[in-house]
């Protein structure tokens, strides 16, 4: 993915999530969550303020009112908007995302990659 395409994806994701309140965040990749404190449950109710891409456009900070979630998309990771955000289930008939965030407005955001090896990582810290 070229840098321009990655930047475009970040801008679209920013427009999708800005101002939304987090309902849940689940990380399905076995070693993808790199921090335990604060917990993912601590994100519930926090409002997304911005998405800030690092220079390489592969690392993104999701800035919330009380937390920052650093997302390393690695080489092939992508963010995908969900018009209907519900917890992922194997019965849904879709491949498991590395992570899924749902919002109070009923939408969501998936963090996906093409391989079964989950390389996208997430780290949460307080602001």
């Amino acid at each position: 993915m070229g840098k321009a395409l990655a930047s475009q994806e970040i801008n679209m994701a920013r427009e999708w999530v800005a101002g939304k309140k987090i309902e849940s965040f689940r990380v399905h990749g076995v070693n993808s969550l790199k921090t335990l404190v604060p917990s993912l449950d601590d994100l519930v109710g926090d409002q997304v303020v911005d998405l800030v891409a690092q220079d390489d456009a592969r690392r993104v900070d999701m800035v919330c009112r009380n937390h920052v979630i650093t997302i390393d998309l690695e080489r092939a990771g992508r963010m995908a908007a969900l018009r209907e955000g519900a917890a992922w289930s194997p019965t849904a008939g879709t491949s498991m995302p590395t992570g899924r965030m749902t919002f109070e407005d009923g939408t969501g955001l998936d963090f996906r990659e093409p391989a079964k090896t989950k390389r996208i990582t997430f780290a949460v810290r307080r602001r």
Side-chain angles (χ1 to χ4, degrees):
M1 174 187 305
K3 190 172 183 177
L5 184 57
S7 296
Q8 182 181 16
E9 178 183 340
I10 299 297
N11 288 335
M12 287 189 305
R14 178 184 297 120
E15 290 176 20
W16 183 254
V17 302
K20 294 185 180 192
K21 288 189 178 181
I22 299 171
E23 179 180 70
S24 72
F25 185 33
R26 296 292 170 249
V27 174
H28 300 289
V30 175
N31 292 313
S32 295
L33 183 60
K34 298 302 181 184
T35 56
L36 297 176
V37 177
S39 74
L40 296 180
D41 289 339
D42 290 337
L43 298 171
V44 173
D46 206 352
Q47 186 174 24
V48 179
V49 176
D50 200 3
L51 279 181
V52 180
Q54 304 301 324
D55 290 338
D56 61 2
R58 301 311 308 153
R59 286 188 333 241
V60 179
D61 284 337
M62 181 179 284
V63 180
C64 301
R65 292 212 183 275
N66 301 311
H67 300 89
V68 176
I69 306 163
T70 299
I71 305 148
D72 187 342
L73 294 168
E74 276 290 327
R75 293 180 304 258
R78 305 202 44 108
M79 292 180 282
L82 302 171
R83 294 201 183 281
E84 294 181 20
W88 179 82
S89 167
T91 60
T94 60
S95 62
M96 180 176 64
T98 304
R100 175 171 286 181
M101 183 176 288
T102 60
F103 301 104
E104 290 181 358
D105 69 355
T107 63
L109 185 67
D110 264 1
F111 301 91
R112 296 189 161 276
E113 49 201 312
K116 294 210 182 267
T117 303
K118 302 300 186 194
R119 295 186 178 174
I120 296 174
T121 61
F122 307 92
V124 180
R125 70 180 192 276
R126 296 192 195 285
R127 278 184 75 179

